[in-house]
Amino acid sequence: MVQMANKSMMLITISAVMIITLIPAISVEADSDKGLAKIKEKTQSYSDINGLEVARMKLKIAIDNYKNGDLDAAKHDLEVAIEWLNKASQNSKTEKSRDASRQLAVKVDAFKQQLKQSSAENENILVRFWHQSTAIIGREIDHLIYSYVELAASEKTLKHLLDAKMHLYTAEYDLLVSHSIKNSAQELDSVLKYLDMAGQVAKKPLKKKIIDLSKKVYLLKEQVKQSPEAWNVSDEISFLNQAKESLTKAKDRASPQIRLRIESIEADVQTLWTDIERSNIKNNYESVMATLRGIINEL
């Protein structure tokens, strides 16, 4: 118990330190080129995560400029973001973060080259870039946190699980916001790949949990293929909740005979609500993420 408590306190302390360390990179002074120059100086003395934070910040500013119709400013912001992503691809702590930063820089550069007009699709792509940069930062922070913990034989397992977590976080935007079947499937395939690698090196008790989690991820991927039906579930749940409230109000004013019939209808609605809720992508995604985090915390 003492060892677990010490481990928890260590993780909390390191997390707090990481948050404080990131503050200089997201300061409002970064909105200007002069401020960005100051951040470049600070980044040399702080963690490499600060460089990724600058890239993420510039992607956010690019989104704002794009929404305001200033394409030239947006392109300039993207150019700066590319510069910092390329630096991260050389200096980040983990191979996964370096590869992800390099790939994102290539995607952003290709997008910038063809950016000529405003559209909802282009805005969605920009937001997804920002979400991906957030996922890479999360992977770097995970590495710094867990590298202070005694891992022994679990180290290889943890590495693959953290890589799976990064892709699962990236999939959140595709699943819950953009509803992109292609991007969702690609990210979930990556999650499955790294879970499989983790399962191959994990000890027996953990191996079964990883295999069970892979099954849940696979089912989530299959749900996505049912689109758009799968993404209509939230609306259906909302309408059924409204129906349940209306039935309750009607029952309060109904005669005993009518009340019995309403109660029968309520039972049918509740059964339908339960069946639909099982196919709720949001709930299933959150369940998968919670299970993955739980497995990581066991190491």
Side-chain angles (χ1 to χ4, degrees):
M1 287 295 290
V2 173
Q3 185 178 3
M4 291 180 64
N6 289 338
K7 177 179 177 181
S8 299
M9 284 302 296
M10 185 181 295
L11 294 180
I12 293 170
T13 301
I14 296 169
S15 298
V17 170
M18 288 308 306
I19 292 172
I20 294 172
T21 303
L22 291 176
I23 290 175
I26 57 177
S27 168
V28 291
E29 69 179 6
D31 288 345
S32 66
D33 289 335
K34 184 177 180 181
L36 194 61
K38 291 181 180 179
I39 285 180
K40 288 182 179 180
E41 295 177 7
K42 293 176 181 179
T43 304
Q44 293 176 0
S45 58
Y46 287 96
S47 164
D48 292 321
I49 292 177
N50 281 29
L52 287 168
E53 269 293 349
V54 176
R56 180 171 70 165
M57 175 196 67
K58 295 304 291 185
L59 287 171
K60 176 62 173 64
I61 297 174
I63 294 170
D64 293 338
N65 283 328
Y66 185 82
K67 289 180 178 179
N68 292 330
D70 193 342
L71 295 186
D72 289 337
K75 286 184 176 181
H76 173 70
D77 296 324
L78 293 177
E79 187 65 40
V80 177
I82 292 167
E83 175 189 348
W84 285 96
L85 286 169
N86 282 326
K87 288 183 178 180
S89 72
Q90 299 172 3
N91 303 321
S92 293
K93 303 298 183 184
T94 68
E95 181 182 355
K96 183 63 182 176
S97 297
R98 291 193 293 271
D99 288 344
S101 297
R102 181 170 56 254
Q103 291 172 17
L104 182 56
V106 171
K107 291 178 182 178
V108 175
D109 186 51
F111 175 79
K112 179 179 72 69
Q113 299 299 331
Q114 59 84 38
L115 184 58
K116 297 180 180 178
Q117 61 183 9
S118 298
S119 69
E121 181 181 0
N122 283 340
E123 183 178 329
N124 178 62
I125 292 172
L126 280 171
V127 175
R128 188 170 191 271
F129 287 157
W130 180 90
H131 194 84
Q132 285 181 283
S133 69
T134 303
I136 299 171
I137 290 171
R139 179 63 181 85
E140 282 286 89
I141 292 176
D142 278 341
H143 172 78
L144 290 174
I145 290 174
Y146 288 99
S147 65
Y148 283 88
V149 181
E150 288 293 333
L151 297 174
S154 302
E155 186 171 3
K156 290 183 179 179
T157 306
L158 178 66
K159 175 184 179 298
H160 298 317
L161 290 176
L162 292 180
D163 290 345
K165 181 184 172 187
M166 189 191 85
H167 284 283
L168 185 58
Y169 179 82
T170 303
E172 181 183 26
Y173 179 78
D174 304 315
L175 288 167
L176 307 183
V177 181
S178 68
H179 298 170
S180 169
I181 299 176
K182 178 182 177 182
N183 291 334
S184 299
Q186 287 179 344
E187 295 300 333
L188 293 177
D189 278 338
S190 294
V191 174
L192 289 168
K193 180 182 76 172
Y194 286 109
L195 287 179
D196 180 64
M197 294 169 69
Q200 291 179 24
V201 295
K203 296 180 180 179
K204 280 190 176 181
L206 204 61
K207 186 187 294 287
K208 184 181 184 306
K209 292 184 179 181
I210 294 174
I211 291 174
D212 291 342
L213 176 58
S214 294
K215 292 177 181 178
K216 293 174 67 173
V217 174
Y218 179 79
L219 290 175
L220 181 59
K221 180 185 170 185
E222 290 300 303
Q223 276 184 269
V224 172
K225 293 181 180 179
Q226 300 170 14
S227 178
E229 291 80 5
W231 282 304
N232 289 333
V233 168
S234 295
D235 291 337
E236 294 168 354
I237 290 291
S238 177
F239 291 139
L240 285 175
N241 285 336
Q242 294 176 25
K244 288 164 68 176
E245 292 177 5
S246 298
L247 287 170
T248 299
K249 292 177 181 178
K251 188 170 64 174
D252 291 340
R253 301 182 181 182
S255 64
Q257 186 176 8
I258 297 298
R259 188 177 295 120
L260 289 174
R261 295 180 64 182
I262 291 175
E263 289 175 351
S264 176
I265 296 173
E266 283 181 322
D268 290 339
V269 170
Q270 181 59 42
T271 300
L272 179 59
W273 186 94
T274 302
D275 290 342
I276 293 177
E277 185 69 9
R278 290 195 186 100
S279 61
N280 190 328
I281 282 182
K282 182 176 186 295
N283 284 359
N284 291 342
Y285 169 82
E286 291 176 349
S287 174
V288 167
M289 179 61 87
T291 301
L292 178 54
R293 284 174 175 157
I295 293 174
I296 290 172
N297 289 336
E298 284 187 35
L299 291 171

